[in-house]
């Protein structure tokens, strides 16, 4: 996969040269090119921003450097498949959520260009002009506002990159991750343990050292259900009940949840207690 990142702070992307993603780049699974947006400015101050039309606080990134940057980068297609159009990824808090499913979808593409916004964001026309030529994904990391897109790109490239074949030492380790199964089957991963068997007076759950793989799988599934109930109950409501066997349903019942009218919901008794309490 080829990744181009356009930013006014190329040094901010240095962590992409480290650890899993850095090693993948060394092995040429990934090719990451970072570009300084200011090389596509034409004034002596290398200006990339201006005041917003309509007034208001802050500055807006000018469309010209972005247009020229995308022209220059896309003029250099993939040598092995020159017909492939890149996908432009624009991190923005006003975008659609960046999820594990989106990471998996983007991991299938051969070429991604990331546009790191700063200030109040990028002039809309630059995004619209790009969308005339290539798929554009405007994606948000979450419901909070960062100072710039660089941190979002670090997150997205790591999430996408670790799904590429040959990046993780053991490809199976992505399979059991939280969210790996997609929105209709997503449970959070339960707790994990390693050696020593005793640490500061704390042991590990006995089942994990039993060698009984069926029982261990069941225990892990129960832990995943319990953690999802505790931390992200809204994920349960999205679960397809078809993915729940009778043991799952028994565990959920113990946690105050049940399958009702084809949906996973809190048991009526729990709802009743909540309503009385509030
Ligand atoms: N005025 C913009 C708004 O409220 O939508 C916020 C701009 S923010 C200060 C500057 C840049 O940080 C954005 O253009 C985007 O690149 C990045 N950014 C901030 N929050 C983000 C988030 N939650 N997800 C992805 N990118 C984000």
């Amino acid at each position: 996969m080829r990744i181009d990142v356009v930013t006014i702070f190329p040094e901010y992307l240095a962590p992409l040269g480290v650890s899993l993603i850095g090693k993948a780049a060394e092995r040429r699974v990934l090719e990451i090119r970072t570009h300084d947006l200011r090389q596509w400015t034409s004034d002596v101050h290398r200006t990339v921003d201006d005041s917003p039309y309509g007034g208001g606080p802050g500055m807006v990134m000018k469309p010209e450097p972005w247009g020229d940057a995308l022209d220059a980068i896309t003029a250099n297609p993939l040598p092995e498949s020159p017909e492939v159009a890149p996908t432009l990824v624009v991190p923005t808090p006003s975008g659609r959520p960046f999820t594990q499913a989106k990471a998996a979808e983007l991991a299938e593409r051969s070429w991604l260009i990331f546009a790191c916004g700063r200030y109040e964001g990028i002039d809309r026309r630059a995004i619209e002009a790009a969308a005339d030529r290539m798929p554009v994904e405007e994606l948000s990391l979450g419901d909070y506002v960062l100072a710039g897109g660089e941190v979002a790109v670090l997150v997205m490239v790591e999430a996408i990159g670790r799904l590429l074949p040959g990046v993780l030492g053991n490809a199976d380790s992505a399979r059991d991750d939280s969210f790996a199964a997609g929105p209709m089957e997503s449970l959070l991963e339960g707790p994990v343990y390693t050696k020593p068997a005793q640490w500061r007076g704390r042991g590990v759950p006995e089942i994990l050292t039993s060698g009984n793989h069926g029982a261990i799988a069941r225990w892990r599934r129960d832990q995943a259900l319990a953690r999802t109930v505790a931390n992200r109950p809204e994920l349960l409501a999205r679960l397809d009940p078809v993915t729940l066997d009778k043991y799952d349903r028994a565990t959920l019942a113990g946690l105050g949840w049940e399958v009702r009218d084809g949906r996973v919901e809190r048991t009526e008794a729990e709802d009743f207690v909540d309503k009385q309490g509030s």
Side-chain angles (χ1 to χ4, degrees), residues 229 251-258 265-268 270-271:
V229 164
T251 302
L252 281 173
L255 295 165
W257 288 72
E258 65 185 357
E265 295 183 349
R266 277 166 66 80
T267 54
E268 279 165 1
E270 295 281 340
D271 273 349

Side-chain angles (χ1 to χ4, degrees), residues 91-94 117-121 139-142 144-149 152:
T92 164
S94 52
R118 282 268 154 183
Y119 318 113
E120 294 308 316
L139 298 173
S140 169
L141 277 200
Y144 40 79
V145 179
L146 304 164

Side-chain angles (χ1 to χ4, degrees), residues 88-116:
L88 179 66
V89 180
V90 185
T92 164
S94 52
R96 298 202 170 130
F98 178 70
T99 59
Q100 187 66 23
K102 183 55 74 177
E105 186 189 320
L106 293 175
E108 299 289 323
R109 314 270 166 101
S110 323
W111 184 8
L112 301 175
I113 303 177
F114 288 90
C116 300

Side-chain angles (χ1 to χ4, degrees), residues 14-32:
L16 292 179
V18 178
S19 185
L20 203 70
I21 298 300
K23 293 214 173 76
E26 266 172 31
R27 293 202 311 275
R28 305 219 157 261
V29 178
L30 269 173
E31 187 197 341
I32 301 177

Side-chain angles (χ1 to χ4, degrees), residues 5-244:
V5 185
V6 186
T7 168
I8 57 169
F9 294 117
E11 64 277 23
Y12 217 126
L13 280 307
L16 292 179
V18 178
S19 185
L20 203 70
I21 298 300
K23 293 214 173 76
E26 266 172 31
R27 293 202 311 275
R28 305 219 157 261
V29 178
L30 269 173
E31 187 197 341
I32 301 177
R33 302 180 189 180
T34 304
H35 310 271
D36 185 347
L37 179 69
R38 292 192 199 276
Q39 69 183 282
W40 289 288
T41 55
S42 45
D43 64 314
V44 64
H45 300 295
R46 309 179 85 202
T47 311
V48 293
D49 60 313
D50 209 332
S51 54
Y53 274 120
M59 302 293 271
V60 174
M61 295 190 107
K62 294 161 69 60
E64 305 97 313
W66 278 108
D68 292 349
L70 294 175
D71 287 349
I73 292 168
T74 53
N76 237 326
L78 303 176
E80 63 284 7
S81 38
E83 73 292 350
V84 168
T87 296
L88 179 66
V89 180
V90 185
T92 164
S94 52
R96 298 202 170 130
F98 178 70
T99 59
Q100 187 66 23
K102 183 55 74 177
E105 186 189 320
L106 293 175
E108 299 289 323
R109 314 270 166 101
S110 323
W111 184 8
L112 301 175
I113 303 177
F114 288 90
C116 300
R118 282 268 154 183
Y119 318 113
E120 294 308 316
I122 302 171
D123 186 302
R124 188 72 208 154
R125 293 166 295 178
I127 312 295
E128 286 172 5
D132 286 343
R133 296 195 287 153
M134 62 189 112
V136 175
E137 300 269 0
E138 293 182 89
L139 298 173
S140 169
L141 277 200
D143 295 344
Y144 40 79
V145 179
L146 304 164
E150 290 76 9
V151 172
V153 170
L154 292 176
V155 170
M156 291 178 189
V157 170
E158 187 156 310
I160 295 165
R162 69 192 284 283
L163 298 178
L164 298 177
V167 171
L168 286 182
N170 178 350
D172 282 350
S173 47
R175 193 198 53 205
D176 294 336
D177 285 339
S178 305
F179 312 115
M184 304 291 282
E185 285 180 61
S186 273
L187 295 176
L188 303 183
E189 197 180 45
V192 292
Y193 300 86
T194 184
K195 296 175 195 70
Q198 284 292 329
W199 180 77
R200 296 192 179 180
R202 292 164 192 272
V204 303
E206 248 171 57
I207 188 91
L208 295 179
T209 54
S210 68
N212 181 339
H213 297 297
I216 291 172
R218 183 66 252 162
W219 181 87
R220 288 193 168 138
R221 180 90 176 157
D222 288 343
Q223 294 292 317
L225 288 164
R227 190 173 271 200
T228 309
V229 164
N231 294 347
R232 297 289 304 277
E234 80 282 6
L235 293 178
L236 288 176
R238 280 191 239 151
L239 274 187
D240 183 346
V242 171
T243 64
L244 300 170

